[in-house]
């Protein structure tokens, strides 16, 4: 146990007596420091026993008050005053005792026969003994953890041994956030609480860690893996000195365990790749495709294919993605990772997490027997994805926004400015452009535009007529309306529009 003021007071050879501040006897002592400085706060680091002969202490009560405040500000553990014959103070001044008692600051009296050096030696001897006990205990716990990791219990035994040794709740999840095991806590609940921290740590791979203060306690998240991110360690209230010393040991043992599991899963990944190859064959029937998905555990009757360019580490990337998607249907083909996922999976989120910055095409949702068709479209989208620097899905492949986004930003800006510059000049506030945008996106409906913008129908008509006068483009000519709509869309490429969640984006037609 750490050395406390109570323990120091109990050392017979020091013959210390308690004068004031009994409520602070449980304070931990880290060091001992002798000083006659009456303003010691800036020289203290906290948890020191301050020793003084009182040489520079005045008899003024306000000075005693200030001195006790200084000790409290420096987070001193206690004050020891040398008193007796031959010393400046014969007894501890009552005013000092009074203010220390009020502040809960322990004040001990040392007789003249006890040198401050003896007290310092006693403190450091006790600290060294405590550190030795802690080191011995830590080594014993480390051996227990290593034995547990090597046993048949594997992950479960390792986590249980950790909790029994340091009483810190622990949970481990894979790189996709799925719980693998826990001890001393509700693993799934802890995982839910830790989700935002895990998301942040995941961005840094094996190079980061994170923490947060939660109602349930202090949370710490550490990445796991030897060369690639395999999972996360979540610890709750691992703030004891022993726990802090052992965290690195636990991380190393868990990383080895997850790597072992990764290697053990290789035969299964090969089987899933074989299943995927069969799914892509053109002669597969609907019944066979559904049976294959059922075997793989893909919980959907509608699927989509995904292609990801994987220069450098295609096999490792395929393993990461197989772990991240239900069913694990992934394979490496010609420098690509090809997958089949259920239609309702948030594929973009998976790609952001496990394949950030890599070109990726997301095929259309199809019946299982048409997986090959979806994959061909996914592969065809890879060039667009590489150009845009983000995944591209089949649902946007024919959209004007995608085609515009592939163009030169300078050319798009010039086109948009050519069409819309008269409106910018006449209406810096943007009311005309916003009215035009909503009117076009509601297919030229006066009533719907009025309702959405909260304007009178005549106001909307007047604004659209003014747009026509300024731009020279008429509201009843389809070509002119398309020009206006393309200019607005070109200006918006790469910039989310504030109304996109409110209005349906459609190609304008005569309303």
């Amino acid at each position: 146990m750490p050395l406390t003021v109570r323990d120091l007071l109990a050392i017979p050879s020091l013959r210390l007596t308690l004068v004031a501040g009994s409520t602070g006897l449980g304070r931990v002592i880290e060091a001992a420091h002798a000083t006659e400085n009456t303003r010691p706060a800036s020289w203290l680091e906290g948890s020191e026993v301050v020793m003084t002969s009182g040489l520079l202490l005045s008899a003024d009560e306000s000075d005693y008050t200030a001195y006790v405040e200084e000790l409290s500000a420096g987070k001193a553990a206690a004050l020891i005053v040398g008193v007796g014959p031959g010393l400046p103070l014969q007894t501890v001044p009552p005013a000092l005792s009074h203010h220390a008692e009020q502040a809960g600051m322990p004040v001990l009296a040392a007789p003249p026969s006890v040198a401050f050096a003896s007290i310092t030696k006693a403190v450091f001897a006790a600290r060294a003994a405590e550190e030795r006990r802690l080191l011995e205990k830590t080594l014993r716990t480390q051996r227990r953890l290593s034995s547990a990791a090597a046993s048949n219990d594997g992950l479960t035994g390792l986590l249980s041994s950790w909790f029994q040794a340091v009483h810190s709740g622990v949970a481990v999840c894979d790189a996709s956030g799925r719980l693998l095991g826990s001890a001393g806590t509700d693993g799934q609940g802890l995982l839910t609480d830790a989700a935002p921290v895990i998301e942040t740590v995941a961005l840094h791979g094996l190079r980061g860690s994170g923490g947060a203060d939660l109602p349930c306690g202090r949370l710490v998240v550490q990445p796991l893996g030897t060369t690639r991110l395999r999972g996360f360690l979540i610890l709750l209230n691992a703030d004891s000195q022993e726990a802090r010393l052992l965290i690195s040991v636990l991380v190393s043992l868990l990383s080895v365990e997850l790597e072992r599991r990764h290697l053990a899963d290789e035969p299964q990944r090969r089987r899933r790749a074989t299943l995927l190859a069969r799914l892509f064959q053109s002669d597969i029937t609907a019944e066979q495709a559904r049976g294959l998905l059922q075997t793989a555990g893909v919980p959907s009757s509608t699927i989509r294919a995904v292609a990801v360019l994987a220069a450098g580490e295609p096999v490792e990337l395929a393993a990461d993605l197989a772990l991240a998607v239900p069913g694990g249907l992934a394979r490496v083909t010609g420098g690509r990772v090809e997958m089949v996922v259920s239609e309702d999976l948030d594929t973009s989120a998976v790609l952001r997490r496990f394949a950030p910055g890599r070109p990726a095409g997301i095929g259309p949702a199809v019946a299982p027997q048409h997986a090959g068709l979806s994959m061909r479209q996914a592969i065809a989208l890879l060039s667009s994805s590489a150009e845009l620097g983000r995944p591209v899905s089949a649902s946007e492949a024919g959209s004007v926004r995608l085609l515009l986004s592939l163009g030169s930003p300078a050319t798009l800006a010039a086109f948009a400015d050519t069409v819309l510059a008269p409106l910018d000049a006449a209406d810096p506030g943007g009311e005309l452009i916003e009215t035009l945008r909503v009117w076009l996106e509601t297919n030229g409906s006066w009533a719907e535009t009025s309702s959405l913008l909260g304007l009178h129908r005549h106001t909307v008509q007047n604004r659209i007529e003014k747009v026509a006068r300024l731009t020279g483009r008429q509201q009843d000519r389809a070509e002119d309306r398309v020009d206006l709509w393309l200019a607005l869309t070109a200006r918006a490429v790469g910039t989310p529009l504030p109304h996109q969640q409110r209005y349906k984006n459609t190609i304008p037609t005569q309303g």
Side-chain angles (χ1 to χ4, degrees):
M1 295 292 292
L3 178 69
T4 66
V5 177
R6 181 179 288 105
D7 298 329
L8 185 66
L9 186 62
I11 298 176
S13 62
L14 300 181
R15 292 185 290 154
L16 301 174
T17 57
L18 179 65
V19 176
S22 60
T23 57
L25 290 178
R27 293 184 179 186
V28 173
I29 298 173
E30 299 287 348
H33 180 54
T35 178
E36 299 302 329
N37 190 340
T38 59
R39 296 291 183 267
S42 60
W43 302 95
L44 301 177
E45 294 183 353
S47 299
E48 295 100 341
V49 169
V50 175
M51 299 176 289
T52 181
S53 65
L55 180 64
L56 300 180
L57 291 177
S58 73
D60 190 292
E61 184 165 345
S62 63
D63 288 342
Y64 288 133
T65 302
Y67 185 57
V68 172
E69 289 176 350
E70 281 282 317
L71 294 173
S72 298
K75 299 181 180 178
L79 172 67
I80 295 179
V81 183
V83 296
L87 295 175
L89 298 176
Q90 300 305 299
T91 61
V92 177
L96 176 59
S97 301
H98 172 71
H99 291 296
E101 184 70 33
Q102 288 185 324
M105 174 66 65
V107 176
L108 312 181
S113 59
V114 176
F116 285 166
S118 299
I119 299 174
T120 301
K121 289 179 180 179
V123 168
F124 282 100
R127 291 282 301 142
E130 171 60 24
E131 289 178 1
R132 185 167 55 253
R133 287 193 297 271
L134 177 62
L135 180 58
E136 291 171 351
K137 183 181 179 182
T138 300
L139 290 174
R140 289 195 300 272
T141 303
Q142 181 175 343
R143 286 194 291 269
R144 287 174 56 190
L145 292 175
S146 299
S147 297
S151 70
N152 293 331
D153 290 339
L155 182 66
T156 301
L158 183 54
L159 299 184
S160 297
S161 296
W162 166 268
F163 177 68
Q164 291 168 8
V166 300
H167 307 291
S168 163
V170 58
V172 173
C173 65
D174 63 23
S176 299
R178 289 188 284 262
L179 182 67
L180 298 178
S182 63
T185 185
D186 173 12
Q188 195 58 58
L190 184 61
L191 202 58
T192 300
D193 292 338
V197 183
I198 292 174
E199 194 69 29
T200 301
V201 173
L203 297 175
H204 304 283
L206 294 175
R207 297 185 301 276
S209 61
D213 290 313
L214 303 177
C216 58
R218 176 65 182 171
L219 188 79
V220 174
V221 175
Q222 293 275 359
L224 300 174
T226 55
T227 58
R228 292 179 67 86
L229 183 65
R230 301 297 184 200
F232 301 94
L233 166 66
I234 305 101
L235 296 171
L236 184 62
N237 295 325
D239 48 7
S240 69
Q241 193 169 1
E242 183 184 10
R244 291 195 296 271
L245 290 172
L246 286 168
I247 285 177
S248 60
V249 175
L250 182 63
V251 168
S252 297
L253 293 174
L254 286 172
S255 295
V256 171
E257 171 65 16
L258 294 192
E259 290 291 350
R260 184 193 65 76
R261 290 187 173 207
H262 174 74
L263 293 175
D265 288 342
E266 177 60 25
Q268 183 178 12
R269 288 193 291 271
R270 291 177 181 174
R271 288 193 295 271
R272 297 300 173 102
T274 301
L275 290 178
L276 186 58
R278 174 65 183 122
L279 186 63
F280 286 149
Q281 291 178 358
S282 59
D283 62 345
I284 192 169
T285 66
E287 183 178 357
Q288 290 171 336
R290 285 194 299 270
L292 190 150
L293 290 181
Q294 185 177 3
T295 300
V298 177
S300 177
S301 59
T302 307
I303 52 92
R304 64 176 79 247
V306 181
V308 184
L309 286 184
E313 297 179 312
V315 175
E316 287 290 347
L317 179 60
D320 290 345
L321 291 170
L323 180 66
V325 300
L329 291 176
R331 70 172 184 175
V332 177
T333 303
R336 297 188 306 270
V337 175
E338 298 179 350
M339 299 188 296
V340 162
V341 300
S342 59
E343 179 188 8
D344 55 359
L345 179 71
D346 189 349
T347 308
S348 295
V350 172
L351 294 173
R352 283 195 303 270
R353 177 78 168 269
F354 295 97
R358 297 180 185 271
I362 305 173
V366 296
Q369 66 270 25
H370 300 308
L373 174 62
S374 182
M375 177 54 69
R376 286 195 293 275
Q377 295 188 49
I379 294 172
L381 295 172
L382 287 173
S383 58
S384 297
S385 176
E387 184 76 22
L388 294 174
R390 63 172 178 82
V392 175
S393 66
S395 60
E396 61 176 322
S399 74
V400 173
R401 282 185 66 87
L402 177 63
L403 296 175
L404 289 174
S405 66
L406 294 172
S408 163
T411 302
L412 295 178
F415 167 69
D417 289 345
T418 299
V419 176
L420 302 176
L423 303 185
D424 296 333
D427 178 28
E431 290 183 347
L432 289 178
I433 285 182
E434 178 65 9
T435 302
L436 173 63
R437 192 190 313 276
V438 178
W439 183 71
L440 289 173
E441 292 185 353
T442 58
N443 294 323
S445 169
W446 304 112
E448 191 173 354
T449 303
S450 300
S451 174
L452 290 170
L453 293 178
L455 299 173
H456 193 278
R457 177 183 177 123
H458 291 163
T459 301
V460 173
Q461 291 175 326
N462 289 337
R463 289 184 180 181
I464 297 302
E465 290 172 0
K466 187 175 181 179
V467 168
R469 290 195 303 273
L470 291 171
T471 62
R473 288 167 169 80
Q474 302 304 312
Q475 57 180 285
D476 55 352
R477 292 185 68 234
E479 182 179 353
D480 287 351
R481 290 172 69 160
V482 168
D483 273 355
L484 291 169
W485 182 75
L486 285 175
L488 291 173
T489 304
R491 182 172 282 185
V493 165
T495 304
L497 305 178
H499 64 284
Q500 282 180 336
Q501 301 302 320
R502 294 183 289 155
Y503 317 129
K504 183 180 178 182
N505 191 8
T506 56
I507 295 179
T509 57
Q510 179 67 34

